[in-house]
Amino acid sequence: MQTSNTTTKAAHPIFNNQYEIMKSLGEGNTSKVYLAKTLAAPHTEVAIKILKEEFLRRDEDSILSVQNEITILKNLQHAGIIRMADFGDAGQVVKPSGRVISNLVFIIMDYVKGGLLFDLCQTMGAMGEDSGRFFMHQMIDALDYMHNLRCVHRDLKLENILVDDNLDLKIADFGFACYKSIDNLKSYRGTMTYMAPEIKEGKNYDGTQVDLFSTGVILFIIVQGIF
């Protein structure tokens, strides 16, 4: 009886010898996000955010923004905010081919199955005032928690809010967030469609107020279904 010496290769990339990367969840200017599951039972699903090397090499502010996001997420524990499970700067991916990619900067977060609030709004269209009230109660509760901890997001938008299977919201992507000194800000941050006018005009601004402005835009889209 002959035995094969062929080694079976992994079907998917392996991250840090702990996670099997299943698929890409999305890509932005700064990072790529992947769905992964633990190799060990019970095979928990997570989202792995891997920062792009070209972004980190851009300037010192890029590295500081990642460090800032990690610091903020470590200190936020709320049902309406995405939970960070792990982070580091020595991430390693082993491809099915055997090729190894090392020294990756990463953040591991809970995986939210429902997807983006943006996609829900696109699918449903105008959801009316009752739906707006339902989602805004959640948003205001999470924002009140953040703001009381002297933390502001500065890039609230449909694309940065996740929705789970129970229609519970999870605020994500804290790359533009800041904490402690939030009352007299100058940095140009946010997404144009959701951005408060004082940021667009280059004025000093209150972080909590610009978060509330963006939340108002989100509410309008949920209710009216207008993009």
Side-chain angles (χ1 to χ4, degrees), residues 11-27:
H12 299 100
I14 302 300
F15 184 81
N16 280 4
N17 295 318
Q18 294 178 282
Y19 302 95
E20 182 179 5
I21 296 177
M22 307 307 296
K23 66 176 182 179
S24 171
L25 292 174
E27 179 177 355

Side-chain angles (χ1 to χ4, degrees), residues 1-19:
M1 179 178 177
Q2 291 185 330
T3 59
S4 174
N5 293 323
T6 302
T7 302
T8 302
K9 294 182 179 180
H12 299 100
I14 302 300
F15 184 81
N16 280 4
N17 295 318
Q18 294 178 282
Y19 302 95

Side-chain angles (χ1 to χ4, degrees), residues 20-21 36 45 49 66 74 100 112 123 141-142 177 179 189 211:
E20 182 179 5
I21 296 177
E45 292 181 322
K49 178 178 181 177
V66 176
K74 281 197 297 185
V100 178
V112 181
T123 300
D141 188 58
Y179 64 104
R189 295 288 186 269
D211 274 357

Side-chain angles (χ1 to χ4, degrees), residues 20-209:
E20 182 179 5
I21 296 177
M22 307 307 296
K23 66 176 182 179
S24 171
L25 292 174
E27 179 177 355
N29 293 326
T30 64
S31 63
K32 296 181 180 180
V33 181
Y34 299 92
L35 169 64
K37 66 178 181 180
T38 56
L39 293 174
H43 306 300
T44 304
E45 292 181 322
V46 298
I48 301 178
K49 178 178 181 177
I50 297 180
L51 281 299
K52 293 183 176 180
E53 186 176 353
E54 57 266 32
F55 167 70
L56 295 172
R57 286 183 174 180
R58 188 182 303 167
D59 51 41
E60 188 177 345
D61 285 345
S62 299
I63 296 174
L64 289 175
S65 71
V66 176
Q67 294 172 339
N68 186 60
E69 180 176 10
I70 290 169
T71 299
I72 288 173
L73 286 174
K74 281 197 297 185
N75 289 286
L76 296 179
Q77 302 292 329
H78 187 277
I81 298 171
I82 195 71
R83 187 185 72 90
M84 181 177 69
D86 195 8
F87 63 92
D89 59 3
Q92 182 186 80
V93 170
V94 180
K95 299 272 191 174
S97 64
R99 186 165 74 94
V100 178
I101 305 171
S102 301
N103 301 318
L104 298 171
V105 179
F106 66 93
I107 301 174
I108 298 177
M109 299 163 287
D110 289 345
Y111 172 58
V112 181
K113 291 184 178 180
L116 299 175
L117 182 57
F118 178 88
D119 295 332
L120 178 64
C121 287
Q122 274 202 321
T123 300
M124 300 299 296
M127 289 189 275
E129 293 183 6
D130 287 342
S131 294
R133 193 175 298 111
F134 172 78
F135 287 121
M136 277 306 103
H137 277 305
Q138 298 183 50
M139 283 290 297
I140 295 301
D141 188 58
L143 285 180
D144 185 57
Y145 168 81
M146 286 169 46
H147 292 170
N148 282 332
L149 291 178
R150 306 285 296 167
C151 172
V152 293
H153 190 281
R154 296 197 294 181
D155 196 22
L156 291 170
K157 56 184 177 180
L158 297 173
E159 298 92 326
N160 283 343
I161 301 172
L162 300 164
V163 187
D164 70 13
D165 291 340
N166 297 317
L167 294 180
D168 292 329
L169 301 183
K170 309 281 185 182
I171 298 173
D173 201 338
F174 283 75
F176 284 166
C178 67
Y179 64 104
K180 295 182 180 178
S181 300
I182 62 173
D183 301 317
N184 190 29
L185 300 171
K186 299 178 182 179
S187 301
Y188 190 90
R189 295 288 186 269
T191 300
M192 186 64 69
T193 308
Y194 301 83
M195 190 183 292
E198 53 264 44
I199 302 179
K200 295 178 182 179
E201 294 166 6
K203 297 178 180 178
N204 290 11
Y205 59 90
D206 182 306
T208 60
Q209 291 180 6

